[in-house]
Amino acid sequence: MKLYYAPGTCALACWIALEWAGADYQAVRADYKSEEYQRINPLGAVPALDIGGKRAMTQAPAILQYIADTHPESRLGSNEGVENAFELNETLSFLGSDFHAAFWPFFMPYRYTTDESEAARNAVKESAYARIDRAMLHLDALIAQGNGHVYQGRRSIADAYAFVMARWTEYLPKTWREYPHIAPFMERMQADEAVQHVLQASQA
């Protein structure tokens, strides 16, 4: 099993989940532009998980769910019951759409304007602040309800996903440190041995 990643991306959430699950895997740094990687994932994005099938698995929420499903002993997935499963899927959908997408104008402003001037691109970046803050406030509320975790008071794949993306606020005027429940969550995650390993190894 090979996980293709790039430093700082949401692929690190899948890497953390693999570590938590005690999975047998290899992490491979992806070269987005290479023909080899385009064959692995024609979208040219990470993460991608190659398990030896006809094609690699893609999309972080789906890969995270696969890791949880194939390693039930790690208890990274949902609690039993349809409504509990729905709550985790709802949370992953929020993280993958509302939260993740909120950062796109900031990181890739050129996608959102035909004006190539620096002023125009800076305006696009600044337009992302309010949407990111709204998503962070919702995440903060989830963690408050979850007694320090994103999902139902215990560690899950949602913790890994939220952690990796909340780190992106380091580039913004308002960082994760300014949210009362996210801040201690992030500090606990940063102290986690598996998280430390992934962060260090991904920069090597």
Side-chain angles (χ1 to χ4, degrees):
M1 185 161 58
K2 292 183 180 180
L3 173 72
Y4 291 88
Y5 74 94
T9 66
C10 64
L12 301 190
C14 300
W15 193 346
I16 292 168
L18 287 166
E19 281 290 312
W20 282 348
D24 183 11
Y25 73 94
Q26 177 185 2
V28 180
R29 186 165 180 164
D31 179 356
Y32 294 118
K33 297 180 180 179
S34 70
E35 290 185 11
E36 179 185 2
Y37 192 67
Q38 291 290 328
R39 287 193 294 270
I40 294 168
N41 183 1
L43 292 174
V46 291
L49 186 68
D50 185 355
I51 62 169
K54 292 182 179 179
R55 66 174 183 84
M57 297 175 173
T58 62
Q59 305 299 329
I63 292 173
L64 286 166
Q65 190 64 66
Y66 173 80
I67 294 168
D69 288 345
T70 53
H71 299 81
E73 69 285 350
S74 65
R75 295 194 70 241
L76 294 175
S78 69
N79 290 321
E80 291 186 11
V82 174
E83 292 184 0
N84 289 328
F86 170 82
E87 183 177 330
L88 180 58
N89 287 331
E90 180 183 40
T91 302
L92 292 175
S93 293
F94 155 70
L95 293 171
S97 55
D98 296 278
F99 194 31
H100 197 163
F103 287 93
W104 284 120
F106 179 78
F107 285 123
M108 299 184 176
Y110 54 85
R111 289 185 176 181
Y112 298 89
T113 179
T114 57
D115 187 337
E116 296 183 1
S117 70
E118 184 178 354
R121 293 191 176 183
N122 285 339
V124 171
K125 285 185 175 184
E126 290 175 8
S127 73
Y129 295 168
R131 189 176 177 188
I132 293 169
D133 183 51
R134 182 181 179 186
M136 288 287 282
L137 288 170
H138 184 69
L139 177 61
D140 197 68
L142 288 177
I143 294 172
Q145 295 166 11
N147 294 319
H149 292 280
V150 180
Y151 171 78
Q152 294 192 352
R154 64 171 178 82
R155 187 175 75 174
S156 73
I157 51 177
D159 283 355
Y161 201 11
F163 167 74
V164 169
M165 291 188 292
R167 291 179 75 237
W168 296 341
T169 61
E170 294 278 4
Y171 301 101
L172 305 178
K174 185 177 181 180
T175 75
W176 55 262
R177 294 175 180 83
E178 298 183 51
Y179 298 87
H181 302 287
I182 294 176
F185 163 77
M186 295 292 286
E187 290 167 358
R188 287 192 300 272
M189 287 289 290
Q190 289 180 146
D192 183 279
E193 289 186 9
V195 172
Q196 290 180 356
H197 166 73
V198 170
L199 294 179
Q200 292 170 5
S202 65
Q203 295 299 327

